[in-house]
Amino acid sequence: MLTAELQAWLRLSLVPGLGVRSQLHLLRALGEPEKIFSAPRSAFKSLISPQLIDAVLTTCVPNHTGIVELTQAWLLEPQHHLITLNDALYPASLLSLPDPPIVLYAKGDLNLLKKPALSIVGSRNATPQGIEHAEQFAAHLSNAGLCIVSGMASGIDAAAHRGGLAGRSSSIAVVGTGLDRIYPASNRQLAHQLASEGLILSEFALGSPPLPMHFPQRNRIIAALGLGCLVVEAALGSGSLITARQAVDLGREIFAIPGSIHSPQAKGCHALIKSGAKLVESGDDILSELCFGNDLFSVAATPKKQAQPPVAEDEFWQALGWDPVDIETLILRTGLTNAALYEILLGFELEGKLASLPGGRYQRIGGGV
């Protein structure tokens, strides 16, 4: 159901011309969407352009009412969800992005967002051997406890999803359309299986078509959700290499399967290996590199320790210091869990007291002690 709060988040995401970074800028400066829309015009002057101020304060956003009604009806269907940036279900891994989407449309099992994951990407025009590799690696890794993330494109993506669904940890598809559309149409059966046994995610409003600009944008989410990114087959200039570069920027591990020196579909993987990606020949190579052994289920089945009480605010600022610092270092300094730490960081970021930097690092920009 679309509450007033959810409608405000949805409205902010639909403001024409207001990109994700500008949306986040307003959230940090003015607070949650309901506060943004009730703020006086003067509050926006140093934040966004006059044209964007007009767009934000205009009550009749083009097609806004229609999308709200469409979303309201869509959310009545089983397993349909709208997740906002301040929702406890929002994937913490996406907060390492400089531009995390402020809303996510989801169809399927949200519990998969809590599982450790690996992104698998590759060519749409994959070879039979590449498709076989993608499916086999994905099934092996899924059975070991890694949820498989990909983009539901033809070729390697589709094979990775099939392998993930065949294993114990299922699969997440991040798509470049609204969730009321299936693209490509040839993946209709796969999409239905992902919705019933896995999860499909999108940051794009219902009705959004498969525009070319959407796919590089969705790739950053694929890169962020995984602990690492495996490229199975990719030609030079492939969009899969964009995803791999985004994963590198986020501090994720990069893996690549080598191929024939004569195959155009192997040249992208070979280029990644030359630049430092890990050459892998089996799923166990990936598991050992991620330091999880060969069965994540033994880890997942172990009850997690209860989170310690939050540190005092002055202790948090002392742990943060003044220089850029990554999540792993903050966990060591504070003793907090990932989830607890991300919640604190997001709160201070929305208050404008710290900034998220490339590579999943944070730095104070005001406040604190």
Side-chain angles (χ1 to χ4, degrees):
M1 179 179 177
L2 271 179
T3 61
E5 180 184 0
L6 278 179
Q7 286 194 44
W9 280 95
L10 184 60
R11 177 182 169 187
L12 182 62
S13 73
L14 296 173
V15 174
L18 192 70
V20 175
R21 290 176 187 259
S22 294
Q23 294 164 8
L24 292 167
H25 190 43
L26 291 180
L27 287 167
R28 292 175 183 127
L30 302 177
E32 295 188 1
E34 289 177 300
K35 293 182 179 178
I36 292 173
F37 292 119
S38 62
R41 187 181 184 87
S42 59
F44 296 89
K45 284 186 178 179
S46 62
L47 302 175
I48 53 177
S49 69
Q51 293 81 5
L52 285 179
I53 296 175
D54 290 338
V56 170
L57 296 180
T58 298
T59 54
C60 298
V61 175
N63 203 32
H64 175 265
T65 302
I67 294 178
V68 169
E69 291 175 351
L70 182 64
T71 305
Q72 178 76 68
W74 183 83
L75 286 172
L76 295 177
E77 297 294 323
Q79 296 290 81
H80 287 194
H81 315 274
L82 185 66
I83 307 169
T84 69
L85 189 62
N86 72 341
D87 196 311
L89 295 170
Y90 191 91
S93 58
L94 296 189
L95 298 178
S96 60
L97 288 168
D99 56 347
I102 68 166
V103 297
L104 285 170
Y105 300 80
K107 183 191 298 186
D109 183 3
L110 293 181
N111 289 318
L112 295 182
L113 294 173
K114 303 173 186 176
K115 288 179 176 285
L118 184 86
S119 305
I120 298 181
V121 296
S123 174
R124 287 178 170 83
N125 301 310
T127 67
Q129 187 66 63
I131 289 174
E132 183 178 336
H133 283 156
E135 196 160 344
Q136 289 177 348
F137 269 70
H140 179 78
L141 294 166
S142 177
N143 275 323
L146 285 168
C147 183
I148 304 302
V149 179
S150 198
M152 211 173 78
S154 302
I156 297 301
D157 284 17
H161 288 308
R162 289 194 298 270
L165 288 164
R168 294 188 288 178
S169 297
S170 196
S171 187
I172 297 173
V174 186
V175 300
T177 67
L179 289 193
D180 54 343
R181 296 190 175 209
I182 294 175
Y183 180 84
S186 58
N187 279 344
R188 184 170 299 277
Q189 183 176 351
L190 176 62
H192 289 315
Q193 187 179 2
L194 282 162
S196 62
E197 301 174 25
L199 181 67
I200 308 178
L201 289 178
S202 178
E203 67 179 304
F204 300 106
L206 299 179
S208 297
L211 299 177
M213 68 185 74
H214 286 178
F215 296 95
Q217 188 173 337
R218 69 94 197 264
N219 287 351
R220 80 194 195 288
I221 299 177
I222 295 174
L225 284 175
L227 296 170
C229 179
L230 169 64
V231 183
V232 178
E233 278 188 340
L236 292 173
S238 165
S240 302
L241 301 186
I242 296 175
T243 308
R245 285 195 293 271
Q246 291 170 325
V248 169
D249 290 341
L250 294 169
R252 308 300 195 258
E253 296 287 347
I254 309 299
F255 308 98
I257 299 176
S260 167
I261 60 172
H262 304 292
S263 170
Q265 299 292 16
K267 292 191 179 297
C269 291
H270 292 171
L272 287 173
I273 292 168
K274 288 177 183 178
S275 63
K278 310 296 190 302
L279 185 156
V280 294
E281 298 174 310
S282 70
D284 287 339
D285 290 341
I286 294 172
L287 293 171
S288 61
E289 190 66 34
L290 294 176
C291 301
F292 282 118
N294 60 6
D295 189 356
L296 292 180
F297 275 93
S298 61
V299 177
T302 304
K304 294 182 179 179
K305 294 180 180 179
Q306 293 295 318
Q308 297 178 5
V311 295
E313 184 171 342
D314 60 340
E315 292 177 0
F316 170 80
W317 290 113
Q318 289 172 11
L320 183 70
W322 287 98
D323 295 324
V325 63
D326 58 36
I327 289 293
E328 289 75 16
T329 302
L330 279 175
I331 289 173
L332 290 174
R333 291 178 182 175
T334 63
L336 294 173
T337 63
N338 255 8
L341 189 55
Y342 273 122
E343 185 176 350
I344 292 171
L345 290 168
L346 178 59
F348 285 135
E349 189 173 358
L350 291 175
E351 292 175 14
K353 293 182 178 179
L354 58 80
S356 58
L357 306 175
R361 298 176 302 156
Y362 291 84
Q363 184 174 22
R364 81 166 80 183
I365 56 177
V369 294

